[in-house]
Amino acid sequence: MSKLPALSAWLEGRLPALLAEHQVPGAAVAVYAGGEIVDRAAGVLNKATGVEADVDSLFQIGSITKVWTTTLAMQLVDDGVLDLDQPVRKHLPEFVLADADAAARITVRQLMCHTAGFEGDIFTDTGRGDDCVEKYVATLGDVPQLFAPGELFSYNNAAFCVLGRIVEVLRGKAFGACLQDHLFAPLGLTHAAQSPYEAIRFRAALGHLTPSPGADPEPAGMWALTPSNAPAGSMLAMRPRDLVKFAAMHLNDGEGPDGTRVLSAESARAMRDRQAELPDLGLFGDAWGLGWSLFDWPGGQVVGHDGGTIGQSAYLRVAPEHGVAVALLTNGGDTIAVYTEVIEHVLRELTGIEPVAPPKPDPAAPRVDASRYVGEYSSAVADIVVSQDDDGRVWVERVPKGIFAELAKPEKTELVAMNGDTLILAEPMQGMYVPHAFVGDDGTGRALYLHTGRADRRVSA
């Protein structure tokens, strides 16, 4: 007997209270199992208007888009026109980085699993035209290389813009048209939008930002990031039901809802194969496949991806061995707490898998010798200073840069011991105790990178 009716009843009763407890304005959930989908929604899409969320409401899925972009590229592998282990330059001879040698060697596979090694948080606005991704790739000529291609995992938005451009070149059409023709249409998606111009046709969520710790979330002043980053996750919005339809295609080894072959079984399975190992980084997962984040949880394999845009957070978890997928889309507040309860309940009830909860600091954590960690680290997103005071407490001060300087304020927070060379925030940041892994060696015994999913390179002692 299906457990979905009971699960649907639990969501109907629990979701509104859960949102209220954690100051989340609105959310929607969809669960796929055994060929069926149930979905529920609660709260409001915009606190300024009071429009209620329903199951057909659109939320931004953020970086979950990266799995869609990878899927478009894997369709080209199926067509025999793309080889993952060939250099990017085979298809994009104009691909240039500050490190000419690295740019010549980076492969398509390395783009997909975040091991290309160049600075990845580049959000240059190149307009709203169909050529915005092409123009964006042309701006990467001065982007620095953090490490040799294939050496390390470091989350890389820019790499997926490059991957999206490869899809455009090989398909001969803009990225949005590729999504529409090769995924939306064969999957029968009806509530998905690639821009605010499309989203306005539906009940669309606006993100909410928290001005200070403990304050109520407030409507954000803008809806989305730049269209040039669409292949990485800046624009795509949909209802949860349509997102789990996409996940169901992957669960069914590439077969669409009407039996249409959207992706080969070989490619669907290859996307879930382990490609890169991660430091101890909590929600980022334990390893990365092609597009997918991989989680080593008791009870079976789980793959997924998260997404974060301006005040919106999205979570997708898929259990391939059990044929189950769950999507949670939200628009502000302490979404980690909502994610933890909803995902744990769904996977436990339908699969027996026990998700590993996001890490939290140990109040009794001992002091550490931070001499290996102290110093300044930098990226396009922020300048970060790690210090240790006379009492032995370790501090991390983060000063946002670029577009993020408009969305976040400088913060100084304490780090405490977690596991080996990984420390963790003593106080939550946007509801999450972020692990900080110190990896590599600068030649003097000090960490070369501060890794929080992205590897920020040391720039001074």
Side-chain angles (χ1 to χ4, degrees):
M1 181 181 296
S2 173
K3 293 184 177 181
L4 284 181
L7 185 61
S8 180
W10 179 83
L11 286 169
E12 183 177 23
R14 181 60 180 138
L15 190 60
L18 195 56
L19 301 190
E21 288 173 25
H22 299 289
Q23 298 179 295
V24 175
V29 181
V31 181
Y32 172 91
E36 299 179 61
I37 297 173
V38 297
D39 47 10
R40 291 291 178 185
V44 297
L45 300 175
N46 184 339
K47 291 174 70 174
T49 64
V51 175
E52 296 181 350
D54 65 19
V55 295
D56 288 330
S57 299
L58 272 58
F59 292 75
Q60 290 181 17
I61 68 167
S63 286
I64 298 174
T65 304
K66 292 179 173 66
V67 186
W68 295 67
T69 302
T70 305
T71 302
L72 290 173
M74 294 303 289
Q75 290 174 329
L76 293 165
V77 173
D78 292 341
D79 292 344
V81 296
L82 182 63
D83 184 332
L84 299 189
D85 296 310
Q86 289 292 319
V88 169
R89 285 259 184 94
K90 177 178 179 181
H91 305 290
L92 297 182
E94 68 276 19
F95 176 57
V96 177
L97 299 169
D99 186 326
D101 177 67
R105 293 191 292 118
I106 290 169
T107 67
V108 178
R109 183 184 302 275
Q110 290 164 349
L111 298 178
M112 291 181 173
C113 58
H114 300 280
T115 61
F118 58 93
E119 169 68 66
D121 288 317
I122 311 297
F123 299 99
T124 308
D125 188 350
T126 56
R128 294 179 172 85
D130 285 347
D131 60 352
C132 64
V133 177
E134 178 183 7
K135 288 181 175 178
Y136 172 90
V137 173
T139 71
L140 300 179
D142 61 352
V143 171
Q145 194 74 17
L146 302 176
F147 51 84
E151 181 180 310
L152 189 69
F153 171 93
S154 182
Y155 195 81
N156 191 326
N157 286 295
F160 279 81
C161 297
V162 176
L163 183 63
R165 178 58 186 153
I166 292 173
V167 171
E168 289 186 333
V169 168
L170 294 180
R171 287 293 184 199
K173 50 190 170 185
F175 181 76
C178 295
L179 271 177
Q180 175 63 45
D181 296 347
H182 299 281
L183 287 176
F184 289 5
L187 292 174
L189 305 188
T190 59
H191 288 67
Q194 300 192 53
S195 72
Y197 309 108
E198 296 178 10
I200 196 67
R201 298 187 295 119
F202 305 93
R203 298 166 74 101
L206 176 71
H208 293 70
L209 301 173
T210 302
S212 60
D216 289 335
E218 300 176 355
M222 55 193 299
W223 186 75
L225 293 165
T226 59
S228 60
N229 277 69
S234 65
M235 301 301 290
L236 191 54
M238 64 187 63
R239 62 179 178 176
R241 175 176 286 264
D242 282 13
L243 181 52
V244 296
K245 284 183 180 179
F246 169 78
M249 179 271 291
H250 277 273
L251 285 170
N252 294 318
D253 284 340
E255 190 174 287
D258 63 355
T260 300
R261 176 58 59 184
V262 179
L263 187 67
S264 73
E266 181 181 19
S267 287
R269 294 168 188 160
M271 286 178 63
R272 305 193 291 264
D273 287 344
R274 221 170 177 93
Q275 302 287 328
E277 299 298 319
L278 274 62
D280 196 353
L281 295 172
L283 278 182
F284 256 91
D286 300 285
W288 221 270
L290 300 176
W292 289 112
S293 179
L294 312 180
F295 299 86
D296 297 335
W297 289 346
Q301 184 192 47
V302 173
V303 304
H305 212 292
D306 297 340
T309 57
I310 300 173
Q312 300 198 49
S313 298
Y315 307 90
L316 176 64
R317 296 293 181 267
V318 181
E321 297 167 4
H322 300 273
V324 169
V326 53
L328 166 66
L329 307 183
T330 67
N331 66 342
D334 182 4
T335 64
I336 297 297
V338 179
Y339 154 86
T340 300
E341 184 165 336
V342 169
I343 299 297
E344 280 186 359
H345 186 87
V346 170
L347 291 183
R348 187 179 294 120
E349 290 296 309
L350 297 183
T351 71
I353 292 173
E354 290 289 337
V356 175
K360 292 184 177 181
D362 179 359
R367 294 278 195 263
V368 299
D369 175 4
S371 57
R372 171 168 156 74
Y373 316 138
V374 297
E376 184 178 347
Y377 304 81
S378 185
S379 70
V381 170
D383 290 327
I384 303 167
V385 176
V386 178
S387 60
Q388 186 165 32
D389 64 23
D390 293 340
D391 293 327
R393 299 171 73 182
V394 183
W395 300 89
V396 58
E397 184 174 11
R398 185 182 304 270
V399 179
K401 293 159 59 175
I403 188 174
F404 292 95
E406 304 173 18
L407 302 173
K409 299 176 181 178
E411 294 180 295
K412 185 174 183 178
T413 50
E414 187 177 3
L415 292 173
V416 298
M418 177 178 154
N419 181 24
D421 274 343
T422 298
L423 309 184
I424 188 169
L425 290 180
E427 299 294 333
M429 179 185 296
Q430 298 177 342
M432 184 176 178
Y433 297 93
V434 180
H436 288 55
F438 293 86
V439 300
D441 192 311
D442 72 346
T444 69
R446 299 173 304 176
L448 185 57
Y449 302 100
L450 169 54
H451 210 311
T452 55
R454 297 164 176 85
D456 295 334
R457 192 179 180 100
R458 179 185 288 276
V459 294
S460 78

